[in-house]
Amino acid sequence: MRAVIAFGVAILPLVIGITWKPPEKATDFSLYQIYPRSYKDNDGDGIGDLRGVIQRLDHFAETNVQAIWLSPILRSPMVDFGYDISNFREIEPIFGTMKDFEDLLKAAHDRNLSVLLDFVPNHTSVEHEWFQKSLQGIPPYDNYYTWHPGRMENGTRKPPNNWVSVYNGPAWTWRDERQAYYLHQFTVQQPDLNYHNPNVRREMEDILRFWLDKGVDGFRIDAMTFIYEDQRFLDEPLSGQTDDPNSYYYTEKIYTSDQQSNYDILPTWRQVLDKYKQPKYMVVEPFGNTEKTMKYYYYGIDFPFNLDLITNLTVHSTAADIKHIVDTWYNISLEGGTPNWVAGNHDRNRLIKRMGEPRARAVTTFVLLLPGATITYYGEEIGMTEGYISWEDTVDPLGCTSNKAQYQSVSRDPARTPFQWNNSVSAGFSSNSHTWLPVNSNYKTLNLADEKKDNNSYYALYEKLSKLKKSPHFKRGNLVTKVLDEYVFAFARETEKHGSVYAITNFGDKDSTVDLSVFDNIPSKLDVYYASTISNILSWESVVQVRRVTIPAASVVILTTPNANFVTG
């Protein structure tokens, strides 16, 4: 538990006098992101749905997950697959009905599983009633969005400034009905709401209450970086990265992202959540650098997603690089924040695509065994890889707005393919052989059912580590991090009475023999709990001498003290 105001008074006047009390279990819990279109199809139309999620809820008990986060399931024309919402109080029929959602909530709660919704406050769909009325200038909706008459140059009307959309091209679109441009930081079909209008802020608070009254346990807040824009509408300075004025990287985002008001609005949402008897989660998707992301901790949220394992970790990272990432985020907990570890999501290449399978196992070890919250993107627990998606099958707007020669470099479709449950039709995802995205062709050999039978599978590792994370004694383990050589990073979770766990990862391309006696009070021998790649010494011994442990290239080895009584499974 943290008291935000204790270390933020000087710079955060809006939160003076408020002490936030986030859920106790947010400090060390496991959150699983479900991409509903791709999780489980119940009705056979080739698209995942809420009934499909209900069918597979027991999977989370098996993997020791405490909370699920549903990517958008609200009414939407699906231009951006749910992130363009046309009604914030209705379930999108593709996924089911409100009754289906209520049944999902009950079934999840019966299993002590919390449910978080994706809250998308920055924009709506152009089909939303608010925008249609704003387009017609009907009060009070006329000011619900950001409109601007533009500027005249040599008798020609042009957009107000050089702001660029995330999806490339101008962030402004002209509408004759209003004789004005509207702002959209994402697709043309996703107009930005105007948070300088108090009516908009009240509307969004009411939407939070609507779903909290339904019984949801919290929200993942989408695109928080973009909520407010500088109302002077000045040109942003050029970045120097590209000469293309339609590229998102053409300008430095000093007026369109990370405005102070983005942080200031969060305590008002926290106050809405805190009115409810049961603790509610509020987590944030950041886009900025580490400094800007860390700043969110002072504004009443449980945590901003830590994307450093995605953005700053590569196959070439040294042990010192890894230690810096881990120590930076862990030190937050010393000030009352909650560290968290994210290896993938629906907007990024899958973990194995980025790191290769051996190193991916090491990253999964970080995610599960470091102190704090674990966030798992669906399929990561079985080591799902990215499948080939043809130009004809591409549906992601980022890919579709590119061209045939370049779409594969930007499309997010390969990271969103259906979950591979077994080796039956459509990998057990659907009874339909035609699914919204093609099932990865490797599903015959890479699927949950087969991995459950293999003690060396990716799922076996995930299940083993998730059980370890769940142990009350392990949760209380102190963290110690060490650089053992250029590419070998190690960390320990130590307890005085219940033993210790040592995770040693080698990101190099060669085997390395290291001395673990650099950890204080370590016994002379350790038990082998897990080894992702079996070296000669680990192939025939279950106990190793700490002064000379061989860690194979691109691998992880997990060792425990002989008296470790929190190890299960």
mmCIF file of all heavy atoms in Angstrom, residues 77-112:
data_model
loop_
_atom_site.group_PDB
_atom_site.id
_atom_site.type_symbol
_atom_site.label_atom_id
_atom_site.label_comp_id
_atom_site.label_asym_id
_atom_site.label_seq_id
_atom_site.Cartn_x
_atom_site.Cartn_y
_atom_site.Cartn_z
ATOM 1 N N PRO A 77 -17.760 0.128 -34.482
ATOM 2 C CA PRO A 77 -17.724 -0.288 -35.886
ATOM 3 C C PRO A 77 -16.454 -1.066 -36.224
ATOM 4 O O PRO A 77 -16.291 -1.526 -37.354
ATOM 5 C CB PRO A 77 -17.789 1.034 -36.655
ATOM 6 C CG PRO A 77 -17.286 2.060 -35.710
ATOM 7 C CD PRO A 77 -17.685 1.596 -34.335
ATOM 8 N N MET A 78 -15.550 -1.187 -35.263
ATOM 9 C CA MET A 78 -14.359 -2.025 -35.391
ATOM 10 C C MET A 78 -13.359 -1.545 -36.444
ATOM 11 O O MET A 78 -12.626 -2.343 -37.029
ATOM 12 C CB MET A 78 -14.753 -3.493 -35.668
ATOM 13 C CG MET A 78 -15.444 -4.157 -34.504
ATOM 14 S SD MET A 78 -14.270 -4.468 -33.144
ATOM 15 C CE MET A 78 -15.396 -4.642 -31.750
ATOM 16 N N VAL A 79 -13.293 -0.249 -36.666
ATOM 17 C CA VAL A 79 -12.245 0.288 -37.534
ATOM 18 C C VAL A 79 -10.878 0.012 -36.915
ATOM 19 O O VAL A 79 -9.925 -0.356 -37.607
ATOM 20 C CB VAL A 79 -12.446 1.796 -37.758
ATOM 21 C CG1 VAL A 79 -11.242 2.413 -38.460
ATOM 22 C CG2 VAL A 79 -13.714 2.043 -38.563
ATOM 23 N N ASP A 80 -10.790 0.182 -35.594
ATOM 24 C CA ASP A 80 -9.556 -0.103 -34.865
ATOM 25 C C ASP A 80 -9.805 -1.191 -33.825
ATOM 26 O O ASP A 80 -9.279 -1.165 -32.726
ATOM 27 C CB ASP A 80 -9.021 1.170 -34.209
ATOM 28 C CG ASP A 80 -7.571 1.030 -33.759
ATOM 29 O OD1 ASP A 80 -6.898 0.084 -34.206
ATOM 30 O OD2 ASP A 80 -7.115 1.865 -32.958
ATOM 31 N N PHE A 81 -10.666 -2.138 -34.189
ATOM 32 C CA PHE A 81 -10.944 -3.325 -33.389
ATOM 33 C C PHE A 81 -11.296 -3.027 -31.934
ATOM 34 O O PHE A 81 -10.716 -3.577 -30.996
ATOM 35 C CB PHE A 81 -9.787 -4.316 -33.515
ATOM 36 C CG PHE A 81 -9.646 -4.805 -34.926
ATOM 37 C CD1 PHE A 81 -8.650 -4.316 -35.745
ATOM 38 C CD2 PHE A 81 -10.560 -5.691 -35.456
ATOM 39 C CE1 PHE A 81 -8.556 -4.717 -37.069
ATOM 40 C CE2 PHE A 81 -10.476 -6.103 -36.777
ATOM 41 C CZ PHE A 81 -9.477 -5.620 -37.583
ATOM 42 N N GLY A 82 -12.260 -2.134 -31.782
ATOM 43 C CA GLY A 82 -12.811 -1.851 -30.465
ATOM 44 C C GLY A 82 -12.294 -0.592 -29.824
ATOM 45 O O GLY A 82 -12.897 -0.101 -28.863
ATOM 46 N N TYR A 83 -11.197 -0.045 -30.315
ATOM 47 C CA TYR A 83 -10.674 1.201 -29.758
ATOM 48 C C TYR A 83 -11.344 2.418 -30.386
ATOM 49 O O TYR A 83 -10.948 3.553 -30.134
ATOM 50 C CB TYR A 83 -9.151 1.256 -29.902
ATOM 51 C CG TYR A 83 -8.464 0.322 -28.924
ATOM 52 C CD1 TYR A 83 -8.071 -0.944 -29.308
ATOM 53 C CD2 TYR A 83 -8.267 0.705 -27.601
ATOM 54 C CE1 TYR A 83 -7.470 -1.819 -28.403
ATOM 55 C CE2 TYR A 83 -7.672 -0.151 -26.695
ATOM 56 C CZ TYR A 83 -7.277 -1.410 -27.097
ATOM 57 O OH TYR A 83 -6.690 -2.266 -26.183
ATOM 58 N N ASP A 84 -12.350 2.173 -31.208
ATOM 59 C CA ASP A 84 -13.215 3.242 -31.742
ATOM 60 C C ASP A 84 -14.634 2.946 -31.258
ATOM 61 O O ASP A 84 -15.386 2.226 -31.889
ATOM 62 C CB ASP A 84 -13.147 3.292 -33.274
ATOM 63 C CG ASP A 84 -13.364 1.931 -33.926
ATOM 64 O OD1 ASP A 84 -12.821 0.925 -33.425
ATOM 65 O OD2 ASP A 84 -14.086 1.856 -34.940
ATOM 66 N N ILE A 85 -14.982 3.501 -30.115
ATOM 67 C CA ILE A 85 -16.223 3.138 -29.414
ATOM 68 C C ILE A 85 -17.368 4.043 -29.857
ATOM 69 O O ILE A 85 -17.250 5.267 -29.848
ATOM 70 C CB ILE A 85 -16.017 3.214 -27.893
ATOM 71 C CG1 ILE A 85 -15.018 2.137 -27.455
ATOM 72 C CG2 ILE A 85 -17.342 3.048 -27.144
ATOM 73 C CD1 ILE A 85 -14.602 2.226 -26.005
ATOM 74 N N SER A 86 -18.487 3.421 -30.211
ATOM 75 C CA SER A 86 -19.676 4.176 -30.623
ATOM 76 C C SER A 86 -20.720 4.256 -29.511
ATOM 77 O O SER A 86 -21.648 5.062 -29.583
ATOM 78 C CB SER A 86 -20.295 3.575 -31.887
ATOM 79 O OG SER A 86 -20.617 2.220 -31.695
ATOM 80 N N ASN A 87 -20.583 3.417 -28.481
ATOM 81 C CA ASN A 87 -21.460 3.493 -27.308
ATOM 82 C C ASN A 87 -20.726 2.891 -26.123
ATOM 83 O O ASN A 87 -20.410 1.698 -26.127
ATOM 84 C CB ASN A 87 -22.780 2.765 -27.551
ATOM 85 C CG ASN A 87 -23.809 3.089 -26.477
ATOM 86 O OD1 ASN A 87 -23.513 3.055 -25.281
ATOM 87 N ND2 ASN A 87 -25.028 3.407 -26.890
ATOM 88 N N PHE A 88 -20.467 3.714 -25.102
ATOM 89 C CA PHE A 88 -19.684 3.278 -23.948
ATOM 90 C C PHE A 88 -20.486 2.431 -22.959
ATOM 91 O O PHE A 88 -19.920 1.933 -21.988
ATOM 92 C CB PHE A 88 -19.125 4.495 -23.194
ATOM 93 C CG PHE A 88 -17.978 5.175 -23.877
ATOM 94 C CD1 PHE A 88 -18.183 6.289 -24.683
ATOM 95 C CD2 PHE A 88 -16.678 4.715 -23.718
ATOM 96 C CE1 PHE A 88 -17.125 6.932 -25.303
ATOM 97 C CE2 PHE A 88 -15.611 5.349 -24.338
ATOM 98 C CZ PHE A 88 -15.829 6.460 -25.147
ATOM 99 N N ARG A 89 -21.778 2.253 -23.206
ATOM 100 C CA ARG A 89 -22.612 1.510 -22.271
ATOM 101 C C ARG A 89 -23.237 0.257 -22.890
ATOM 102 O O ARG A 89 -24.138 -0.324 -22.312
ATOM 103 C CB ARG A 89 -23.724 2.425 -21.725
ATOM 104 C CG ARG A 89 -23.211 3.539 -20.811
ATOM 105 C CD ARG A 89 -24.363 4.417 -20.334
ATOM 106 N NE ARG A 89 -23.951 5.375 -19.320
ATOM 107 C CZ ARG A 89 -23.411 6.557 -19.562
ATOM 108 N NH1 ARG A 89 -23.206 6.934 -20.825
ATOM 109 N NH2 ARG A 89 -23.075 7.375 -18.569
ATOM 110 N N GLU A 90 -22.742 -0.147 -24.046
ATOM 111 C CA GLU A 90 -23.277 -1.339 -24.700
ATOM 112 C C GLU A 90 -22.141 -2.287 -25.080
ATOM 113 O O GLU A 90 -21.045 -1.849 -25.419
ATOM 114 C CB GLU A 90 -24.052 -0.971 -25.967
ATOM 115 C CG GLU A 90 -25.343 -0.220 -25.715
ATOM 116 C CD GLU A 90 -26.117 0.051 -26.995
ATOM 117 O OE1 GLU A 90 -25.649 -0.396 -28.086
ATOM 118 O OE2 GLU A 90 -27.166 0.699 -26.927
ATOM 119 N N ILE A 91 -22.434 -3.580 -25.024
ATOM 120 C CA ILE A 91 -21.486 -4.593 -25.465
ATOM 121 C C ILE A 91 -21.572 -4.716 -26.988
ATOM 122 O O ILE A 91 -22.666 -4.713 -27.557
ATOM 123 C CB ILE A 91 -21.787 -5.959 -24.815
ATOM 124 C CG1 ILE A 91 -21.688 -5.862 -23.284
ATOM 125 C CG2 ILE A 91 -20.872 -7.048 -25.359
ATOM 126 C CD1 ILE A 91 -20.305 -5.572 -22.758
ATOM 127 N N GLU A 92 -20.438 -4.828 -27.651
ATOM 128 C CA GLU A 92 -20.417 -5.044 -29.094
ATOM 129 C C GLU A 92 -21.014 -6.425 -29.400
ATOM 130 O O GLU A 92 -20.557 -7.439 -28.850
ATOM 131 C CB GLU A 92 -18.973 -4.954 -29.614
ATOM 132 C CG GLU A 92 -18.753 -5.478 -31.007
ATOM 133 C CD GLU A 92 -19.651 -4.838 -32.052
ATOM 134 O OE1 GLU A 92 -19.873 -3.603 -31.976
ATOM 135 O OE2 GLU A 92 -20.118 -5.573 -32.931
ATOM 136 N N PRO A 93 -22.051 -6.490 -30.253
ATOM 137 C CA PRO A 93 -22.717 -7.773 -30.534
ATOM 138 C C PRO A 93 -21.785 -8.872 -31.036
ATOM 139 O O PRO A 93 -22.083 -10.060 -30.843
ATOM 140 C CB PRO A 93 -23.756 -7.389 -31.598
ATOM 141 C CG PRO A 93 -24.048 -5.953 -31.337
ATOM 142 C CD PRO A 93 -22.748 -5.361 -30.889
ATOM 143 N N ILE A 94 -20.677 -8.521 -31.678
ATOM 144 C CA ILE A 94 -19.719 -9.548 -32.100
ATOM 145 C C ILE A 94 -19.281 -10.394 -30.914
ATOM 146 O O ILE A 94 -19.075 -11.607 -31.041
ATOM 147 C CB ILE A 94 -18.488 -8.884 -32.760
ATOM 148 C CG1 ILE A 94 -18.835 -8.351 -34.144
ATOM 149 C CG2 ILE A 94 -17.313 -9.866 -32.856
ATOM 150 C CD1 ILE A 94 -17.711 -7.571 -34.797
ATOM 151 N N PHE A 95 -19.170 -9.753 -29.738
ATOM 152 C CA PHE A 95 -18.683 -10.449 -28.556
ATOM 153 C C PHE A 95 -19.809 -11.044 -27.709
ATOM 154 O O PHE A 95 -19.543 -11.889 -26.853
ATOM 155 C CB PHE A 95 -17.852 -9.500 -27.699
ATOM 156 C CG PHE A 95 -16.645 -8.951 -28.400
ATOM 157 C CD1 PHE A 95 -16.440 -7.587 -28.502
ATOM 158 C CD2 PHE A 95 -15.716 -9.798 -28.970
ATOM 159 C CE1 PHE A 95 -15.326 -7.075 -29.155
ATOM 160 C CE2 PHE A 95 -14.596 -9.299 -29.629
ATOM 161 C CZ PHE A 95 -14.401 -7.935 -29.725
ATOM 162 N N GLY A 96 -21.036 -10.592 -27.920
ATOM 163 C CA GLY A 96 -22.143 -11.129 -27.141
ATOM 164 C C GLY A 96 -23.088 -10.046 -26.664
ATOM 165 O O GLY A 96 -23.204 -8.976 -27.272
ATOM 166 N N THR A 97 -23.729 -10.294 -25.548
ATOM 167 C CA THR A 97 -24.734 -9.401 -24.987
ATOM 168 C C THR A 97 -24.308 -8.932 -23.602
ATOM 169 O O THR A 97 -23.339 -9.440 -23.021
ATOM 170 C CB THR A 97 -26.078 -10.118 -24.870
ATOM 171 O OG1 THR A 97 -25.936 -11.191 -23.911
ATOM 172 C CG2 THR A 97 -26.521 -10.706 -26.216
ATOM 173 N N MET A 98 -25.063 -7.990 -23.060
ATOM 174 C CA MET A 98 -24.803 -7.561 -21.692
ATOM 175 C C MET A 98 -25.000 -8.732 -20.728
ATOM 176 O O MET A 98 -24.264 -8.864 -19.738
ATOM 177 C CB MET A 98 -25.710 -6.398 -21.311
ATOM 178 C CG MET A 98 -25.413 -5.790 -19.953
ATOM 179 S SD MET A 98 -23.758 -5.029 -19.876
ATOM 180 C CE MET A 98 -24.066 -3.495 -20.767
ATOM 181 N N LYS A 99 -25.961 -9.597 -21.018
ATOM 182 C CA LYS A 99 -26.167 -10.788 -20.182
ATOM 183 C C LYS A 99 -24.923 -11.683 -20.212
ATOM 184 O O LYS A 99 -24.511 -12.224 -19.173
ATOM 185 C CB LYS A 99 -27.379 -11.567 -20.688
ATOM 186 C CG LYS A 99 -27.637 -12.899 -19.979
ATOM 187 C CD LYS A 99 -28.001 -12.704 -18.510
ATOM 188 C CE LYS A 99 -28.676 -13.932 -17.903
ATOM 189 N NZ LYS A 99 -27.900 -15.186 -18.063
ATOM 190 N N ASP A 100 -24.321 -11.827 -21.383
ATOM 191 C CA ASP A 100 -23.088 -12.614 -21.473
ATOM 192 C C ASP A 100 -21.996 -11.999 -20.606
ATOM 193 O O ASP A 100 -21.261 -12.717 -19.909
ATOM 194 C CB ASP A 100 -22.600 -12.687 -22.927
ATOM 195 C CG ASP A 100 -23.526 -13.471 -23.826
ATOM 196 O OD1 ASP A 100 -24.201 -14.393 -23.333
ATOM 197 O OD2 ASP A 100 -23.581 -13.162 -25.029
ATOM 198 N N PHE A 101 -21.895 -10.672 -20.638
ATOM 199 C CA PHE A 101 -20.868 -10.009 -19.835
ATOM 200 C C PHE A 101 -21.153 -10.185 -18.344
ATOM 201 O O PHE A 101 -20.243 -10.462 -17.553
ATOM 202 C CB PHE A 101 -20.775 -8.529 -20.179
ATOM 203 C CG PHE A 101 -19.775 -7.795 -19.332
ATOM 204 C CD1 PHE A 101 -18.416 -8.002 -19.506
ATOM 205 C CD2 PHE A 101 -20.188 -6.927 -18.330
ATOM 206 C CE1 PHE A 101 -17.478 -7.349 -18.711
ATOM 207 C CE2 PHE A 101 -19.265 -6.269 -17.530
ATOM 208 C CZ PHE A 101 -17.910 -6.476 -17.732
ATOM 209 N N GLU A 102 -22.403 -10.040 -17.946
ATOM 210 C CA GLU A 102 -22.762 -10.220 -16.548
ATOM 211 C C GLU A 102 -22.475 -11.651 -16.095
ATOM 212 O O GLU A 102 -22.010 -11.881 -14.965
ATOM 213 C CB GLU A 102 -24.227 -9.854 -16.350
ATOM 214 C CG GLU A 102 -24.493 -8.350 -16.514
ATOM 215 C CD GLU A 102 -25.969 -8.014 -16.635
ATOM 216 O OE1 GLU A 102 -26.782 -8.959 -16.804
ATOM 217 O OE2 GLU A 102 -26.317 -6.814 -16.579
ATOM 218 N N ASP A 103 -22.733 -12.612 -16.985
ATOM 219 C CA ASP A 103 -22.426 -14.009 -16.654
ATOM 220 C C ASP A 103 -20.920 -14.215 -16.519
ATOM 221 O O ASP A 103 -20.456 -14.973 -15.658
ATOM 222 C CB ASP A 103 -22.980 -14.946 -17.730
ATOM 223 C CG ASP A 103 -24.495 -15.055 -17.689
ATOM 224 O OD1 ASP A 103 -25.102 -14.609 -16.697
ATOM 225 O OD2 ASP A 103 -25.072 -15.584 -18.667
ATOM 226 N N LEU A 104 -20.152 -13.536 -17.361
ATOM 227 C CA LEU A 104 -18.700 -13.626 -17.269
ATOM 228 C C LEU A 104 -18.208 -13.052 -15.940
ATOM 229 O O LEU A 104 -17.356 -13.659 -15.272
ATOM 230 C CB LEU A 104 -18.059 -12.877 -18.438
ATOM 231 C CG LEU A 104 -16.544 -12.646 -18.370
ATOM 232 C CD1 LEU A 104 -15.797 -13.962 -18.233
ATOM 233 C CD2 LEU A 104 -16.065 -11.882 -19.601
ATOM 234 N N LEU A 105 -18.734 -11.910 -15.559
ATOM 235 C CA LEU A 105 -18.353 -11.320 -14.277
ATOM 236 C C LEU A 105 -18.625 -12.282 -13.121
ATOM 237 O O LEU A 105 -17.766 -12.490 -12.255
ATOM 238 C CB LEU A 105 -19.129 -10.027 -14.049
ATOM 239 C CG LEU A 105 -18.524 -8.715 -14.533
ATOM 240 C CD1 LEU A 105 -19.472 -7.569 -14.215
ATOM 241 C CD2 LEU A 105 -17.159 -8.463 -13.909
ATOM 242 N N LYS A 106 -19.806 -12.850 -13.107
ATOM 243 C CA LYS A 106 -20.163 -13.764 -12.022
ATOM 244 C C LYS A 106 -19.265 -14.995 -12.021
ATOM 245 O O LYS A 106 -18.764 -15.418 -10.965
ATOM 246 C CB LYS A 106 -21.626 -14.194 -12.135
ATOM 247 C CG LYS A 106 -22.081 -15.098 -10.982
ATOM 248 C CD LYS A 106 -23.523 -15.509 -11.100
ATOM 249 C CE LYS A 106 -23.967 -16.297 -9.860
ATOM 250 N NZ LYS A 106 -23.072 -17.459 -9.573
ATOM 251 N N ALA A 107 -19.057 -15.576 -13.193
ATOM 252 C CA ALA A 107 -18.231 -16.781 -13.282
ATOM 253 C C ALA A 107 -16.796 -16.486 -12.852
ATOM 254 O O ALA A 107 -16.152 -17.302 -12.183
ATOM 255 C CB ALA A 107 -18.257 -17.326 -14.706
ATOM 256 N N ALA A 108 -16.290 -15.311 -13.220
ATOM 257 C CA ALA A 108 -14.936 -14.936 -12.819
ATOM 258 C C ALA A 108 -14.860 -14.720 -11.310
ATOM 259 O O ALA A 108 -13.943 -15.213 -10.638
ATOM 260 C CB ALA A 108 -14.510 -13.675 -13.561
ATOM 261 N N HIS A 109 -15.815 -13.991 -10.772
ATOM 262 C CA HIS A 109 -15.811 -13.717 -9.336
ATOM 263 C C HIS A 109 -15.990 -14.991 -8.522
ATOM 264 O O HIS A 109 -15.440 -15.118 -7.420
ATOM 265 C CB HIS A 109 -16.899 -12.695 -8.993
ATOM 266 C CG HIS A 109 -16.589 -11.323 -9.503
ATOM 267 N ND1 HIS A 109 -17.544 -10.331 -9.613
ATOM 268 C CD2 HIS A 109 -15.432 -10.765 -9.939
ATOM 269 C CE1 HIS A 109 -16.983 -9.234 -10.084
ATOM 270 N NE2 HIS A 109 -15.699 -9.477 -10.294
ATOM 271 N N ASP A 110 -16.758 -15.946 -9.042
ATOM 272 C CA ASP A 110 -16.904 -17.238 -8.361
ATOM 273 C C ASP A 110 -15.561 -17.954 -8.245
ATOM 274 O O ASP A 110 -15.381 -18.809 -7.371
ATOM 275 C CB ASP A 110 -17.882 -18.127 -9.118
ATOM 276 C CG ASP A 110 -19.336 -17.687 -8.946
ATOM 277 O OD1 ASP A 110 -19.607 -16.863 -8.039
ATOM 278 O OD2 ASP A 110 -20.191 -18.159 -9.716
ATOM 279 N N ARG A 111 -14.628 -17.602 -9.119
ATOM 280 C CA ARG A 111 -13.293 -18.205 -9.108
ATOM 281 C C ARG A 111 -12.263 -17.261 -8.470
ATOM 282 O O ARG A 111 -11.061 -17.452 -8.641
ATOM 283 C CB ARG A 111 -12.869 -18.547 -10.538
ATOM 284 C CG ARG A 111 -13.691 -19.663 -11.175
ATOM 285 C CD ARG A 111 -13.474 -19.723 -12.679
ATOM 286 N NE ARG A 111 -14.092 -20.862 -13.314
ATOM 287 C CZ ARG A 111 -15.395 -20.954 -13.614
ATOM 288 N NH1 ARG A 111 -16.204 -19.936 -13.317
ATOM 289 N NH2 ARG A 111 -15.885 -22.030 -14.192
ATOM 290 N N ASN A 112 -12.752 -16.237 -7.761
ATOM 291 C CA ASN A 112 -11.871 -15.227 -7.148
ATOM 292 C C ASN A 112 -10.979 -14.564 -8.180
ATOM 293 O O ASN A 112 -9.805 -14.251 -7.922
ATOM 294 C CB ASN A 112 -11.017 -15.863 -6.038
ATOM 295 C CG ASN A 112 -11.849 -16.311 -4.860
ATOM 296 O OD1 ASN A 112 -12.765 -15.609 -4.436
ATOM 297 N ND2 ASN A 112 -11.562 -17.496 -4.345
#
